[in-house]
Amino acid sequence: MAGAGMLAAAALLVTAVVTSAPGDAAIKSASVVAADGADAAAGTAPAMRTLTKAEAAATSPEQIGYAIKSVMTIDGPLGHGNYYWDESRAPATGPMLITVDLEAQTMSVFRDGHEIGVAVILYGTPEKPTPLGAFPITQKHADHVSNLYDAPMPYMLRLTNDGVAVHGSEVEWGYGTRGCIGVPTAFAKKLFDQVKLGDIVIITNGQRINVGDAVAGV
């Protein structure tokens, strides 16, 4: 995320080029939507499938040089448990990119280079930190339960083989995760419905990109 509005200081991403981690313009304001934890069980879980190593490493031509074309203008601070979602200025289809900045505690969702979603996140503690890098989504499961912690992870998008994922959470001030990226559950559902296996999630810590910059290797 980058550019205009109150979130400019919390802009995400790297300056120009992002490489994969080993192994493992402004538009009109959107309205704030409060997350509702009761949505966690909504919908029917799709069949689970895990990418092969070859699929996870694949990069299509249209994904190289992903350009950030526009970002939302957000009036006022973005609070824990709330999010913005506005698809009105983005085309109905296009390559997806998800960016996370741990310093800003924010996730941005882009479709065809246009920001369509923003949310405050939960992330890992110093004992179980969230890894930095570019990670393909290797598994989707709407009703996932962690086999490590026996905890629900609604609308789970797996990023690493050792259990780091994006998933729905009760996003409250002062809470953390065991390395995962937690977002409001209603936001997680919208994200889940948009992305496909192989789409990239870039996790940084205080790095930024501007409208007009391109992200290589997405």
Side-chain angles (χ1 to χ4, degrees):
M1 183 180 64
M6 292 296 292
L7 290 185
L12 302 184
L13 257 176
V14 299
T15 53
V17 178
V18 176
T19 57
S20 296
D24 237 287
I27 63 178
K28 68 179 182 179
S29 299
S31 58
V32 176
V33 183
D36 183 357
D39 290 339
T44 302
M48 289 178 59
R49 188 173 82 85
T50 302
L51 286 181
T52 66
K53 287 185 178 180
E55 289 173 315
T59 304
S60 61
E62 64 269 24
Q63 290 176 316
I64 299 174
Y66 191 100
I68 303 301
K69 302 172 183 176
S70 70
V71 297
M72 293 183 186
T73 300
I74 298 177
D75 299 321
L78 187 64
H80 286 74
N82 298 115
Y83 64 88
Y84 285 74
W85 193 276
D86 183 0
E87 303 179 39
S88 64
R89 295 298 180 92
T93 61
M96 300 293 297
L97 173 66
I98 301 94
T99 69
V100 175
D101 188 68
L102 304 184
E103 182 179 78
Q105 301 180 41
T106 310
M107 171 183 285
S108 283
V109 181
F110 295 91
R111 185 169 68 216
D112 194 40
H114 299 275
E115 188 179 50
I116 62 173
V118 181
V120 173
I121 64 166
L122 298 180
Y123 57 96
T125 64
E127 294 76 22
K128 292 286 290 185
T130 298
L132 305 180
F135 303 91
I137 296 170
T138 59
Q139 188 182 51
K140 295 177 62 177
H141 190 200
D143 296 313
H144 188 73
V145 177
S146 170
N147 58 4
L148 295 175
Y149 307 108
D150 193 30
M153 299 169 64
Y155 305 109
M156 184 274 292
L157 306 173
R158 185 179 298 281
L159 304 182
T160 72
N161 292 333
D162 59 354
V164 174
V166 175
H167 60 81
S169 297
E170 293 292 331
V171 179
E172 298 181 16
W173 175 260
Y175 284 75
T177 71
R178 296 180 176 91
C180 288
I181 301 295
V183 296
T185 300
F187 182 92
K189 183 181 186 304
K190 290 179 178 292
L191 177 62
F192 187 94
D193 292 340
Q194 289 284 328
V195 300
K196 67 184 184 303
L197 299 182
D199 284 343
I200 299 297
V201 178
I202 298 175
I203 305 174
T204 66
N205 190 17
Q207 295 171 296
R208 292 167 174 80
I209 197 170
N210 297 309
V211 172
D213 286 347
V215 183
V218 174

